[in-house]
Amino acid sequence: MRMASKTVEPQLAAVSFTCPHCNALAHQTWYSLLLNAADVRVLYHEVATREMKGLSDDDDRRRIEELAERLKHNDVTYRNLKYKGYSSAEMVNLHLSHCFSCKGFSIWVADRLVWPVRESAIEPHQDMPGTLREDFEEAAAIVNRSPRGAAALIRLCVQKLMPLLGEKGENINNDIASLVSKGLEVEIQQAMDVLRVIGNDAVHPGQIDLKDDKATAIRLFELLNLIIERRIATPQRIAALYGGLPESKRKAIEKRDQE
């Protein structure tokens, strides 16, 4: 199994997490925002470069040159003001985190990361069947905005997995019961039932509410990858190794098991 690098989901006020810009596990510096009246406009790298050409003051040119360089890499950055202003108003529940690795800023409203829109860093298992992979990746793309929607898609993956495990794929509960009767490991049964129950209740009124619970939704991706490892990838690897044994050895094993 290909092991993904360790990821730490972004959390408000966390000292470090996996940066939504560069995907590095990096230290984060946090900032609040003060209010000052301003001319509202979007400043691009090209605009800053043109402004720099018209400046004669070396200090002004340096400040704009540094800003233009930062804008090459990040749409949201800062600029140093020649004359510092003062503000008596501070924004509440609006913060910025600044990545030590890539110098990118992220925007938070309350405890929600709102920019950049970030796909989950969790990748599908390398042996995940294609019929499941598309739904897995769609769930990863929306988990930050809709943990409930992501959970429902992961449940759909489990339903699509059932025919590949020899079941009907019409009723997940019945399919899991059938697999248990065939010797399904307890931990895999429990993992399947977690995905079934949470995925169901995520979109129906019930006791489980994932509306703002991204952390639980993220665990569902990990459980699905575990199920793929145990029920798809491991049997395939064992079958490949067994098929590579000399034919005489395999026939001897078959004869032994028939006795």
Side-chain angles (χ1 to χ4, degrees):
M1 177 181 179
R2 181 187 64 187
M3 301 298 293
S5 58
K6 179 181 178 181
T7 61
V8 177
E9 287 297 311
Q11 291 186 344
L12 183 71
V15 175
S16 62
F17 51 70
T18 300
C19 174
H21 290 285
C22 66
N23 285 326
L25 180 56
H27 176 79
Q28 303 289 325
T29 303
W30 289 88
Y31 297 95
S32 58
L33 285 82
L34 302 179
L35 296 182
N36 278 308
D39 293 328
V40 177
R41 60 173 177 155
V42 178
L43 188 60
Y44 299 100
H45 163 70
E46 295 80 3
V47 175
T49 301
R50 286 199 301 269
E51 290 185 359
M52 179 180 62
K53 292 179 180 179
L55 296 174
S56 57
D57 184 88
D58 289 341
D59 186 56
D60 288 340
R61 285 181 58 84
R62 178 185 55 78
R63 287 188 297 104
I64 298 297
E65 184 177 17
E66 291 174 351
L67 172 61
E69 182 62 27
R70 287 193 295 272
L71 285 170
K72 282 184 181 180
H73 309 287
N74 297 287
D75 290 332
V76 176
T77 186
Y78 64 93
R79 61 178 176 181
N80 293 313
L81 302 178
K82 189 171 185 178
Y83 302 105
K84 183 178 179 181
Y86 295 91
S87 173
S88 59
E90 179 183 3
M91 291 297 296
V92 174
N93 292 334
L94 177 61
H95 298 91
L96 300 181
S97 57
H98 187 218
C99 175
F100 179 81
S101 177
C102 70
K103 311 305 179 186
F105 284 89
S106 300
I107 302 174
W108 297 73
V109 174
D111 62 349
R112 301 186 304 278
L113 174 65
V114 297
W115 188 88
V117 177
R118 178 176 179 267
E119 295 185 2
S120 171
I122 296 179
E123 297 181 355
H125 192 290
Q126 63 180 2
D127 293 321
M128 182 172 291
T131 52
L132 282 66
R133 183 178 293 268
E134 183 177 350
D135 292 318
F136 184 103
E137 292 175 345
E138 182 180 348
I142 67 170
V143 67
N144 290 297
R145 291 167 287 163
S146 178
R148 291 186 300 176
L153 284 168
I154 293 299
R155 179 197 175 278
L156 178 61
C157 288
V158 177
Q159 186 163 358
K160 289 183 175 182
L161 176 64
M162 290 303 170
L164 302 179
L165 300 180
E167 304 303 325
K168 295 180 179 179
E170 297 174 357
N171 183 295
I172 298 179
N173 194 42
N174 292 342
D175 288 341
I176 294 175
S178 175
L179 289 169
V180 169
S181 71
K182 299 173 184 176
L184 182 69
E185 307 96 311
V186 172
E187 62 270 23
I188 300 303
Q189 166 261 307
Q190 292 177 346
M192 288 180 173
D193 277 321
V194 166
L195 299 184
R196 175 182 65 85
V197 171
I198 293 181
N200 254 349
D201 285 13
V203 292
H204 295 101
Q207 297 180 350
I208 300 175
D209 184 5
L210 286 189
K211 185 176 181 180
D212 295 312
D213 191 356
K214 185 177 68 175
T216 296
I218 291 295
R219 300 286 83 78
L220 303 185
F221 291 87
E222 298 172 351
L223 286 181
L224 181 58
N225 275 340
L226 173 63
I227 293 169
I228 297 299
E229 169 63 20
R230 295 284 290 275
R231 302 301 297 182
I232 298 290
T234 297
Q236 287 178 349
R237 288 198 294 269
I238 293 174
L241 289 170
Y242 185 80
L245 293 176
E247 184 177 0
S248 59
K249 300 294 184 182
R250 284 188 279 112
K251 287 184 176 181
I253 293 172
E254 292 168 5
K255 182 180 178 180
R256 176 203 66 192
D257 293 341
Q258 292 172 357
E259 294 177 352

